[in-house]
Amino acid sequence: MTVSSDHPKANAQRTLISVDAMGGDQGPAIVVAGCSESAARNADISFVLHGPAETLEPLVAKRPELAGRCIVRDASGVVTMDDKPSNVLRNGKDTSMWSAIESVRTGEASVAVSCGNTGALMAISMIRLKKMPGVNRPAIAVLYPSTGPQGFNVMLDVGADVRADADDLLRFALMGKSYARNGMDIERPRIGLLNVGTEEHKGRTELKEAFELIRDAADESEYDFVGFVEGSDLSGDVADVIVTDGFTGNIAIKTGEGTATLIGNGLREAFQHSIWSRFTALLAYGSLGRVKKRFDPRRVNGGVFLGLNGTVVKSHGAADATGVSSAIKLAARLAESEFTNRLAARVATAPPVKEIEE
Amino acid sequence: MTVSSDHPKANAQRTLISVDAMGGDQGPAIVVAGCSESAARNADISFVLHGPAETLEPLVAKRPELAGRCIVRDASGVVTMDDKPSNVLRNGKDTSMWSAIESVRTGEASVAVSCGNTGALMAISMIRLKKMPGVNRPAIAVLYPSTGPQGFNVMLDVGADVRADADDLLRFALMGKSYARNGMDIERPRIGLLNVGTEEHKGRTELKEAFELIRDAADESEYDFVGFVEGSDLSGDVADVIVTDGFTGNIAIKTGEGTATLIGNGLREAFQHSIWSRFTALLAYGSLGRVKKRFDPRRVNGGVFLGLNGTVVKSHGAADATGVSSAIKLAARLAESEFTNRLAARVATAPPVKEIEE
């Protein structure tokens, strides 16, 4: 049996990552394969894997890369994609997702990764990890392909909450800045506030207020504020971090993903149009592959929950082993940079949060 | 001189289109070229062209297709892209844009087309044409490439106003349905309401209220309500008409456009990567051309202002002659279907508008 009974944290060199093995569309075998892929690439990480032991132990035993670097934490319950978050909070204490977050809460692991139900994962994370001092609303940040220097921009919030007032948007800016610095190595990120135009007089009232708050905090918080940006700047080189509320952000990324899929399918159809076009597709294999790789969603798999006492990475439900592995890579990177501590320090220095009137 | 002094409306067979020749990024020559292209393709349309006569008359004279089918209405002022709408309302009575809308207001032309400043065009249209009875907020509708049966879905509002309450969203559904029927030949359009998830409990309060209003009006107004849709459905085959507020809609289409541009540039770079890839690009010319044509924004150039006493088509500021011509084609189609009258009749039968509390 390759499942080690030694606690992997005993190896002080290694970053322990808590992984919810259940709840992804493709089942636990893919999640274990993703852990194995990560372990092979990165000698500095180890895992605590949550789910039914009788399912996970044989899967782990098949992966020599995980020998001595992975413990299984038995949890019999599974959160499905259809489970309502409120229901999971009431009845989900035996689930792999709950157990995975618990490892971060107790300090055993520094970061958790799950492919499961986003709403339930956010709800458990909120209740168990609790909000960081100075944060009213946590946010989910994603990387979006762009022409920027890193090839990606950060956008937040993309769906932790459908609302955000001016104060929340300021915290998002601060959290996004920390993420860009620690997760993407951008020393002084450029921050933009998403709006329907770049002129200062445009948009909703809370945006004009947020504009002033984010502008005034720029110097002290060491970012550049580029002002209002538009939807097209999400994939552009104007800002490294795009700040918006979770409603708008969610619709923007899903619209972008849908459009990319539409074009990808259009390309596939065009190159299957005739024998000649199939032939040219073969010849153009390298070029098409380069484009595909650049926009491969698996390369940037992972929404990060920001503003909680602990880092949680949400991998796409449909992620394959490469996708899971890239979510783990992101988690490891954030863990190693002590992201949560730095973020907490940063947010705490921001102006005090106003009372939310709701 | 080819500029006819006969009023083109004298020819009862022809639909008269009012065209603002100024304000596009590419200047009036491109607009006149677009009119000429349209005239060559469609014998049933004629034009009243607004702008400085000394600029336009020589341009028109060069186009034999426009002989006897185009009058020039002298207007010396030009609305620039930077002009504030409020300023144009105060000082813009001598502009080509104002004059173009005036032709629709007096009933001379049945539809106006402009490549100019969207905010100013909407402001003039609102003030001069006025809102249709039963409409609180007009909307701008666009066509978005999709896997749907027509190859495009309608989305509205994409930026007439940053706000919309539940009542407004119901009107948008009714206006969108009329547009899909008259502009796209969809007998019984499927209508979806944009949200962050498809479950009924998701999203903001006004969306849940709008959900019920749109659902309850479906039978009488002869559309199918498919419920909440997500950003990815904008390019999908779930709904023909996507209803949202102008803030969200504007950000969604700009995100989609930006993503399409990013991928297009990525393809171009990939095929210029080496001598071999340049060679394969030549061989794959047909396939790449098919994709490019399918997603060519010029093919669906034209946002339509809905909910006013008269139809106004906003062509993209950067449109070339083909783009202008396709905006004119759309305008002609809407004019011929007596779209405005049908829409007014439809919106008037909807439940009475509640007082807006603002």
Side-chain angles (χ1 to χ4, degrees):
Chain A
M1 165 127 168
T2 57
V3 179
S4 165
S5 57
D6 300 330
H7 198 293
K9 215 185 180 181
N11 183 337
Q13 305 306 106
R14 287 194 179 139
T15 301
L16 183 63
I17 296 174
S18 171
V19 177
D20 170 15
M22 313 304 288
D25 304 349
Q26 314 232 27
I30 290 296
V31 177
V32 173
C35 291
S36 168
E37 222 175 87
S38 300
R41 284 191 200 157
N42 186 346
D44 298 336
I45 55 175
S46 58
F47 301 94
V48 49
L49 211 57
H50 305 261
E54 74 273 18
T55 309
L56 298 185
E57 286 180 352
L59 292 172
V60 171
K62 275 190 231 157
R63 302 282 175 175
E65 300 85 356
L66 294 177
R69 291 171 65 183
C70 180
I71 52 168
V72 170
R73 181 76 34 86
D74 186 46
S76 58
V78 173
V79 176
T80 68
M81 287 297 178
D82 302 324
D83 281 335
K84 284 201 181 177
S86 54
N87 211 8
V88 175
L89 285 186
R90 273 195 303 276
N91 308 311
K93 291 183 186 57
D94 70 333
T95 60
S96 59
M97 188 182 274
W98 192 287
S99 180
I101 297 300
E102 210 55 21
S103 281
V104 174
R105 193 184 68 79
T106 61
E108 173 191 31
S110 42
V111 55
V113 175
S114 174
C115 304
N117 181 326
T118 308
L121 186 62
M122 181 48 95
I124 297 175
S125 302
M126 283 270 278
I127 293 294
R128 301 304 291 166
L129 302 180
K130 297 204 164 31
K131 291 183 284 187
M132 205 172 259
V135 170
N136 262 324
R137 291 187 211 277
I140 304 176
V142 292
L143 298 180
Y144 199 90
S146 78
T147 53
Q150 314 289 318
F152 298 98
N153 293 331
V154 176
M155 176 153 79
L156 77 168
D157 175 26
V158 300
D161 197 321
V162 293
R163 294 154 302 181
D165 64 17
D167 261 327
D168 297 325
L169 294 168
L170 168 64
R171 313 288 144 171
F172 294 175
L174 298 173
M175 299 194 290
K177 187 221 63 179
S178 280
Y179 180 38
R181 186 176 291 172
N182 293 292
M184 295 169 76
D185 277 336
I186 303 177
E187 189 48 34
R188 194 179 170 92
R190 297 165 297 168
I191 298 197
L193 184 58
L194 192 60
N195 198 352
V196 294
T198 55
E199 301 90 344
E200 280 192 38
H201 65 275
K202 285 217 170 174
R204 295 169 166 165
T205 318
E206 75 267 27
L207 283 179
K208 290 172 208 170
E209 209 186 315
F211 183 104
E212 291 173 18
L213 292 176
I214 298 174
R215 181 193 59 201
D216 295 347
D219 267 355
E220 201 190 338
S221 299
E222 297 171 300
Y223 58 78
D224 292 322
F225 181 49
V226 298
F228 288 137
V229 297
E230 299 188 274
S232 51
D233 296 318
L234 183 51
S235 48
D237 187 18
V238 168
D240 306 303
V241 177
I242 315 269
V243 170
T244 189
D245 65 273
F247 183 86
T248 310
N250 182 280
I251 284 169
I253 57 157
K254 286 184 181 162
T255 299
E257 283 169 3
T259 304
T261 303
L262 180 77
I263 297 175
N265 292 343
L267 271 172
R268 199 166 305 121
E269 280 165 29
F271 277 103
Q272 287 176 347
H273 184 257
S274 64
I275 304 240
W276 171 253
S277 61
R278 281 170 202 240
F279 173 66
T280 61
L282 277 179
L283 297 180
Y285 186 80
S287 299
L288 292 171
R290 266 191 296 282
V291 180
K292 203 175 161 196
K293 187 170 174 204
R294 177 155 172 208
F295 300 108
D296 185 352
R298 300 178 308 169
R299 279 182 61 217
V300 283
N301 181 34
V304 179
F305 293 0
L306 300 175
L308 302 171
N309 296 304
T311 304
V312 178
V313 175
K314 166 65 177 76
S315 164
H316 203 291
D320 61 9
T322 305
V324 172
S325 161
S326 97
I328 290 170
K329 185 178 165 193
L330 174 62
R333 179 161 191 178
L334 292 173
E336 284 155 15
S337 69
E338 295 193 42
F339 173 63
T340 305
N341 295 340
R342 286 166 190 255
L343 178 56
R346 183 58 66 185
V347 174
T349 63
V353 180
K354 279 192 245 164
E355 287 298 308
I356 295 192
E357 301 129 22
E358 276 180 288
Chain B
M1 166 126 168
T2 57
V3 179
S4 164
S5 57
D6 298 332
H7 198 293
K9 214 185 181 181
N11 183 335
Q13 304 307 105
R14 287 192 179 141
T15 300
L16 182 65
I17 297 174
S18 170
V19 177
D20 170 15
M22 312 305 287
D25 303 348
Q26 316 231 27
I30 290 296
V31 177
V32 173
C35 292
S36 167
E37 224 176 83
S38 300
R41 285 190 200 158
N42 186 346
D44 297 337
I45 54 176
S46 58
F47 301 94
V48 49
L49 211 56
H50 306 263
E54 73 274 17
T55 309
L56 298 185
E57 285 180 352
L59 292 171
V60 172
K62 277 189 229 157
R63 303 283 176 175
E65 300 86 355
L66 294 176
R69 291 170 66 182
C70 180
I71 52 170
V72 170
R73 182 77 34 86
D74 186 45
S76 57
V78 174
V79 176
T80 69
M81 287 297 177
D82 302 324
D83 282 335
K84 284 202 181 177
S86 53
N87 211 7
V88 175
L89 286 186
R90 273 196 303 276
N91 308 312
K93 291 184 186 58
D94 69 333
T95 60
S96 59
M97 188 182 275
W98 192 287
S99 179
I101 297 300
E102 211 54 22
S103 280
V104 173
R105 193 184 69 80
T106 60
E108 175 191 31
S110 42
V111 54
V113 176
S114 174
C115 304
N117 181 329
T118 309
L121 186 62
M122 180 48 96
I124 298 175
S125 302
M126 284 269 278
I127 293 293
R128 300 304 290 168
L129 301 180
K130 299 206 163 32
K131 291 183 283 188
M132 204 172 259
V135 170
N136 261 325
R137 291 188 211 276
I140 305 177
V142 291
L143 299 180
Y144 198 90
S146 79
T147 54
Q150 315 289 318
F152 298 98
N153 293 332
V154 176
M155 177 151 80
L156 76 167
D157 174 25
V158 300
D161 198 322
V162 292
R163 294 154 303 180
D165 64 16
D167 261 327
D168 296 325
L169 293 169
L170 168 63
R171 312 288 143 172
F172 293 176
L174 298 172
M175 298 194 291
K177 188 221 62 181
S178 280
Y179 180 38
R181 187 177 290 171
N182 294 292
M184 296 170 75
D185 276 337
I186 304 176
E187 188 49 31
R188 195 179 170 92
R190 297 165 299 168
I191 297 196
L193 184 58
L194 192 60
N195 198 353
V196 293
T198 55
E199 301 90 344
E200 281 193 36
H201 65 275
K202 286 216 170 173
R204 294 168 167 166
T205 318
E206 75 266 27
L207 283 179
K208 291 172 208 170
E209 208 187 315
F211 184 103
E212 291 173 17
L213 291 176
I214 297 174
R215 182 193 59 203
D216 296 347
D219 266 357
E220 201 189 337
S221 299
E222 297 170 299
Y223 58 78
D224 292 323
F225 181 49
V226 299
F228 287 137
V229 297
E230 299 188 273
S232 50
D233 295 318
L234 183 52
S235 48
D237 188 19
V238 168
D240 306 303
V241 177
I242 316 269
V243 171
T244 189
D245 65 90
F247 183 85
T248 310
N250 182 280
I251 284 170
I253 55 157
K254 285 183 181 162
T255 299
E257 284 169 2
T259 304
T261 303
L262 181 76
I263 297 175
N265 291 344
L267 271 173
R268 199 167 304 121
E269 280 165 28
F271 277 103
Q272 287 175 347
H273 184 257
S274 65
I275 303 238
W276 170 254
S277 61
R278 280 169 203 241
F279 173 65
T280 61
L282 279 178
L283 296 180
Y285 187 79
S287 300
L288 291 171
R290 266 190 296 282
V291 179
K292 204 174 160 197
K293 187 170 174 202
R294 176 156 172 206
F295 300 109
D296 185 352
R298 300 180 307 171
R299 279 183 61 217
V300 283
N301 180 34
V304 180
F305 293 0
L306 301 175
L308 302 170
N309 297 304
T311 303
V312 178
V313 175
K314 165 66 177 76
S315 165
H316 203 291
D320 61 7
T322 304
V324 172
S325 160
S326 97
I328 290 170
K329 187 178 163 192
L330 174 63
R333 180 161 190 176
L334 293 172
E336 282 154 16
S337 71
E338 295 192 43
F339 173 63
T340 304
N341 295 340
R342 286 166 189 254
L343 178 57
R346 182 59 62 185
V347 173
T349 64
V353 180
K354 280 193 243 162
E355 286 300 309
I356 296 192
E357 300 129 24
E358 278 178 289

mmCIF file of all heavy atoms in Angstrom, chain B residues 301-332:
data_model
loop_
_atom_site.group_PDB
_atom_site.id
_atom_site.type_symbol
_atom_site.label_atom_id
_atom_site.label_comp_id
_atom_site.label_asym_id
_atom_site.label_seq_id
_atom_site.Cartn_x
_atom_site.Cartn_y
_atom_site.Cartn_z
ATOM 1 N N ASN B 301 -23.435 44.741 -38.921
ATOM 2 C CA ASN B 301 -23.193 46.064 -38.394
ATOM 3 C C ASN B 301 -24.506 46.792 -38.170
ATOM 4 O O ASN B 301 -25.266 46.991 -39.089
ATOM 5 C CB ASN B 301 -22.316 46.833 -39.384
ATOM 6 C CG ASN B 301 -22.019 48.216 -38.887
ATOM 7 O OD1 ASN B 301 -21.886 48.429 -37.691
ATOM 8 N ND2 ASN B 301 -21.938 49.158 -39.811
ATOM 9 N N GLY B 302 -24.760 47.208 -36.972
ATOM 10 C CA GLY B 302 -25.937 48.021 -36.728
ATOM 11 C C GLY B 302 -26.615 47.701 -35.419
ATOM 12 O O GLY B 302 -27.180 46.639 -35.252
ATOM 13 N N GLY B 303 -26.526 48.625 -34.475
ATOM 14 C CA GLY B 303 -27.340 48.534 -33.268
ATOM 15 C C GLY B 303 -28.627 49.286 -33.561
ATOM 16 O O GLY B 303 -28.603 50.347 -34.187
ATOM 17 N N VAL B 304 -29.769 48.736 -33.174
ATOM 18 C CA VAL B 304 -31.044 49.377 -33.455
ATOM 19 C C VAL B 304 -31.610 49.968 -32.171
ATOM 20 O O VAL B 304 -31.642 49.289 -31.147
ATOM 21 C CB VAL B 304 -32.033 48.359 -34.052
ATOM 22 C CG1 VAL B 304 -33.363 49.024 -34.348
ATOM 23 C CG2 VAL B 304 -31.452 47.758 -35.318
ATOM 24 N N PHE B 305 -32.004 51.242 -32.242
ATOM 25 C CA PHE B 305 -32.643 51.884 -31.086
ATOM 26 C C PHE B 305 -34.108 51.469 -31.084
ATOM 27 O O PHE B 305 -34.822 51.734 -32.046
ATOM 28 C CB PHE B 305 -32.563 53.406 -31.189
ATOM 29 C CG PHE B 305 -31.167 53.975 -31.077
ATOM 30 C CD1 PHE B 305 -30.058 53.161 -30.898
ATOM 31 C CD2 PHE B 305 -30.971 55.346 -31.148
ATOM 32 C CE1 PHE B 305 -28.782 53.695 -30.796
ATOM 33 C CE2 PHE B 305 -29.694 55.891 -31.049
ATOM 34 C CZ PHE B 305 -28.605 55.070 -30.883
ATOM 35 N N LEU B 306 -34.549 50.859 -30.022
ATOM 36 C CA LEU B 306 -35.931 50.389 -29.938
ATOM 37 C C LEU B 306 -36.686 51.170 -28.864
ATOM 38 O O LEU B 306 -36.119 51.563 -27.859
ATOM 39 C CB LEU B 306 -35.962 48.901 -29.580
ATOM 40 C CG LEU B 306 -35.252 47.958 -30.552
ATOM 41 C CD1 LEU B 306 -35.269 46.536 -30.003
ATOM 42 C CD2 LEU B 306 -35.910 48.000 -31.911
ATOM 43 N N GLY B 307 -37.985 51.363 -29.087
ATOM 44 C CA GLY B 307 -38.822 51.998 -28.082
ATOM 45 C C GLY B 307 -39.052 53.482 -28.347
ATOM 46 O O GLY B 307 -39.579 54.193 -27.500
ATOM 47 N N LEU B 308 -38.641 53.952 -29.539
ATOM 48 C CA LEU B 308 -38.872 55.358 -29.898
ATOM 49 C C LEU B 308 -39.899 55.415 -31.033
ATOM 50 O O LEU B 308 -40.155 54.403 -31.689
ATOM 51 C CB LEU B 308 -37.556 55.996 -30.363
ATOM 52 C CG LEU B 308 -36.407 55.967 -29.346
ATOM 53 C CD1 LEU B 308 -35.112 56.411 -30.010
ATOM 54 C CD2 LEU B 308 -36.746 56.860 -28.156
ATOM 55 N N ASN B 309 -40.444 56.600 -31.266
ATOM 56 C CA ASN B 309 -41.383 56.771 -32.372
ATOM 57 C C ASN B 309 -40.612 56.947 -33.672
ATOM 58 O O ASN B 309 -40.601 58.032 -34.260
ATOM 59 C CB ASN B 309 -42.297 57.963 -32.103
ATOM 60 C CG ASN B 309 -43.159 57.743 -30.883
ATOM 61 O OD1 ASN B 309 -43.893 56.759 -30.810
ATOM 62 N ND2 ASN B 309 -43.058 58.637 -29.909
ATOM 63 N N GLY B 310 -39.991 55.893 -34.125
ATOM 64 C CA GLY B 310 -39.154 55.954 -35.310
ATOM 65 C C GLY B 310 -37.958 55.050 -35.085
ATOM 66 O O GLY B 310 -37.522 54.870 -33.950
ATOM 67 N N THR B 311 -37.444 54.469 -36.160
ATOM 68 C CA THR B 311 -36.340 53.533 -36.025
ATOM 69 C C THR B 311 -35.025 54.220 -36.376
ATOM 70 O O THR B 311 -34.941 54.949 -37.355
ATOM 71 C CB THR B 311 -36.564 52.312 -36.945
ATOM 72 O OG1 THR B 311 -37.816 51.732 -36.604
ATOM 73 C CG2 THR B 311 -35.478 51.285 -36.769
ATOM 74 N N VAL B 312 -34.005 53.990 -35.515
ATOM 75 C CA VAL B 312 -32.682 54.556 -35.748
ATOM 76 C C VAL B 312 -31.673 53.415 -35.697
ATOM 77 O O VAL B 312 -31.695 52.611 -34.765
ATOM 78 C CB VAL B 312 -32.330 55.609 -34.674
ATOM 79 C CG1 VAL B 312 -30.922 56.166 -34.889
ATOM 80 C CG2 VAL B 312 -33.361 56.744 -34.670
ATOM 81 N N VAL B 313 -30.824 53.324 -36.713
ATOM 82 C CA VAL B 313 -29.791 52.296 -36.739
ATOM 83 C C VAL B 313 -28.443 52.970 -36.514
ATOM 84 O O VAL B 313 -28.073 53.898 -37.233
ATOM 85 C CB VAL B 313 -29.788 51.521 -38.075
ATOM 86 C CG1 VAL B 313 -28.620 50.543 -38.137
ATOM 87 C CG2 VAL B 313 -31.110 50.776 -38.261
ATOM 88 N N LYS B 314 -27.720 52.498 -35.496
ATOM 89 C CA LYS B 314 -26.391 53.025 -35.202
ATOM 90 C C LYS B 314 -25.374 52.084 -35.814
ATOM 91 O O LYS B 314 -25.242 50.944 -35.382
ATOM 92 C CB LYS B 314 -26.221 53.096 -33.674
ATOM 93 C CG LYS B 314 -24.800 53.281 -33.175
ATOM 94 C CD LYS B 314 -24.207 54.631 -33.573
ATOM 95 C CE LYS B 314 -22.805 54.810 -32.984
ATOM 96 N NZ LYS B 314 -21.785 54.029 -33.696
ATOM 97 N N SER B 315 -24.675 52.571 -36.827
ATOM 98 C CA SER B 315 -23.615 51.789 -37.443
ATOM 99 C C SER B 315 -22.324 51.999 -36.648
ATOM 100 O O SER B 315 -22.154 53.018 -35.982
ATOM 101 C CB SER B 315 -23.448 52.277 -38.880
ATOM 102 O OG SER B 315 -22.244 51.818 -39.426
ATOM 103 N N HIS B 316 -21.428 51.033 -36.675
ATOM 104 C CA HIS B 316 -20.156 51.148 -35.953
ATOM 105 C C HIS B 316 -19.368 52.344 -36.483
ATOM 106 O O HIS B 316 -19.331 52.571 -37.689
ATOM 107 C CB HIS B 316 -19.357 49.864 -36.155
ATOM 108 C CG HIS B 316 -18.336 49.634 -35.078
ATOM 109 N ND1 HIS B 316 -17.231 50.418 -34.940
ATOM 110 C CD2 HIS B 316 -18.284 48.732 -34.073
ATOM 111 C CE1 HIS B 316 -16.524 49.999 -33.895
ATOM 112 N NE2 HIS B 316 -17.149 48.971 -33.355
ATOM 113 N N GLY B 317 -18.753 53.094 -35.577
ATOM 114 C CA GLY B 317 -18.000 54.271 -35.981
ATOM 115 C C GLY B 317 -16.881 53.958 -36.958
ATOM 116 O O GLY B 317 -16.554 54.752 -37.831
ATOM 117 N N ALA B 318 -16.295 52.770 -36.824
ATOM 118 C CA ALA B 318 -15.164 52.387 -37.663
ATOM 119 C C ALA B 318 -15.597 51.631 -38.914
ATOM 120 O O ALA B 318 -14.766 51.081 -39.635
ATOM 121 C CB ALA B 318 -14.198 51.532 -36.846
ATOM 122 N N ALA B 319 -16.918 51.598 -39.189
ATOM 123 C CA ALA B 319 -17.430 50.816 -40.319
ATOM 124 C C ALA B 319 -16.828 51.283 -41.640
ATOM 125 O O ALA B 319 -16.654 52.473 -41.869
ATOM 126 C CB ALA B 319 -18.947 50.917 -40.375
ATOM 127 N N ASP B 320 -16.512 50.334 -42.505
ATOM 128 C CA ASP B 320 -16.117 50.674 -43.881
ATOM 129 C C ASP B 320 -17.377 50.646 -44.754
ATOM 130 O O ASP B 320 -18.490 50.519 -44.244
ATOM 131 C CB ASP B 320 -15.047 49.703 -44.375
ATOM 132 C CG ASP B 320 -15.542 48.269 -44.406
ATOM 133 O OD1 ASP B 320 -16.747 48.049 -44.164
ATOM 134 O OD2 ASP B 320 -14.718 47.376 -44.663
ATOM 135 N N ALA B 321 -17.198 50.774 -46.070
ATOM 136 C CA ALA B 321 -18.363 50.870 -46.954
ATOM 137 C C ALA B 321 -19.269 49.646 -46.819
ATOM 138 O O ALA B 321 -20.505 49.762 -46.805
ATOM 139 C CB ALA B 321 -17.898 51.048 -48.403
ATOM 140 N N THR B 322 -18.681 48.451 -46.685
ATOM 141 C CA THR B 322 -19.483 47.227 -46.544
ATOM 142 C C THR B 322 -20.271 47.263 -45.239
ATOM 143 O O THR B 322 -21.435 46.853 -45.182
ATOM 144 C CB THR B 322 -18.555 45.988 -46.558
ATOM 145 O OG1 THR B 322 -17.789 46.035 -47.750
ATOM 146 C CG2 THR B 322 -19.355 44.706 -46.510
ATOM 147 N N GLY B 323 -19.625 47.770 -44.183
ATOM 148 C CA GLY B 323 -20.311 47.885 -42.899
ATOM 149 C C GLY B 323 -21.481 48.856 -42.978
ATOM 150 O O GLY B 323 -22.582 48.556 -42.505
ATOM 151 N N VAL B 324 -21.253 50.013 -43.601
ATOM 152 C CA VAL B 324 -22.323 51.000 -43.752
ATOM 153 C C VAL B 324 -23.456 50.400 -44.572
ATOM 154 O O VAL B 324 -24.646 50.518 -44.229
ATOM 155 C CB VAL B 324 -21.796 52.292 -44.429
ATOM 156 C CG1 VAL B 324 -22.942 53.236 -44.765
ATOM 157 C CG2 VAL B 324 -20.773 52.986 -43.531
ATOM 158 N N SER B 325 -23.090 49.698 -45.628
ATOM 159 C CA SER B 325 -24.092 49.091 -46.493
ATOM 160 C C SER B 325 -24.926 48.061 -45.727
ATOM 161 O O SER B 325 -26.136 47.945 -45.927
ATOM 162 C CB SER B 325 -23.373 48.462 -47.683
ATOM 163 O OG SER B 325 -24.172 47.513 -48.287
ATOM 164 N N SER B 326 -24.287 47.320 -44.804
ATOM 165 C CA SER B 326 -25.075 46.321 -44.085
ATOM 166 C C SER B 326 -25.978 46.984 -43.043
ATOM 167 O O SER B 326 -27.080 46.505 -42.777
ATOM 168 C CB SER B 326 -24.189 45.210 -43.527
ATOM 169 O OG SER B 326 -23.873 45.424 -42.201
ATOM 170 N N ALA B 327 -25.545 48.111 -42.484
ATOM 171 C CA ALA B 327 -26.432 48.858 -41.589
ATOM 172 C C ALA B 327 -27.638 49.394 -42.362
ATOM 173 O O ALA B 327 -28.773 49.380 -41.874
ATOM 174 C CB ALA B 327 -25.666 50.005 -40.928
ATOM 175 N N ILE B 328 -27.391 49.843 -43.596
ATOM 176 C CA ILE B 328 -28.483 50.364 -44.433
ATOM 177 C C ILE B 328 -29.450 49.237 -44.813
ATOM 178 O O ILE B 328 -30.669 49.401 -44.802
ATOM 179 C CB ILE B 328 -27.915 51.054 -45.693
ATOM 180 C CG1 ILE B 328 -27.223 52.357 -45.274
ATOM 181 C CG2 ILE B 328 -29.009 51.308 -46.728
ATOM 182 C CD1 ILE B 328 -26.423 53.012 -46.377
ATOM 183 N N LYS B 329 -28.889 48.062 -45.075
ATOM 184 C CA LYS B 329 -29.726 46.910 -45.417
ATOM 185 C C LYS B 329 -30.673 46.585 -44.255
ATOM 186 O O LYS B 329 -31.870 46.327 -44.457
ATOM 187 C CB LYS B 329 -28.813 45.715 -45.718
ATOM 188 C CG LYS B 329 -29.539 44.505 -46.238
ATOM 189 C CD LYS B 329 -28.525 43.408 -46.556
ATOM 190 C CE LYS B 329 -29.221 42.069 -46.686
ATOM 191 N NZ LYS B 329 -28.247 40.976 -46.718
ATOM 192 N N LEU B 330 -30.119 46.592 -43.059
ATOM 193 C CA LEU B 330 -30.929 46.328 -41.868
ATOM 194 C C LEU B 330 -32.010 47.400 -41.726
ATOM 195 O O LEU B 330 -33.186 47.097 -41.459
ATOM 196 C CB LEU B 330 -30.017 46.304 -40.634
ATOM 197 C CG LEU B 330 -30.696 46.182 -39.269
ATOM 198 C CD1 LEU B 330 -31.445 44.868 -39.162
ATOM 199 C CD2 LEU B 330 -29.664 46.295 -38.149
ATOM 200 N N ALA B 331 -31.607 48.660 -41.932
ATOM 201 C CA ALA B 331 -32.566 49.771 -41.813
ATOM 202 C C ALA B 331 -33.702 49.599 -42.811
ATOM 203 O O ALA B 331 -34.880 49.771 -42.480
ATOM 204 C CB ALA B 331 -31.843 51.103 -42.039
ATOM 205 N N ALA B 332 -33.344 49.237 -44.050
ATOM 206 C CA ALA B 332 -34.345 49.078 -45.102
ATOM 207 C C ALA B 332 -35.309 47.947 -44.752
ATOM 208 O O ALA B 332 -36.527 48.052 -44.922
ATOM 209 C CB ALA B 332 -33.657 48.796 -46.443
#
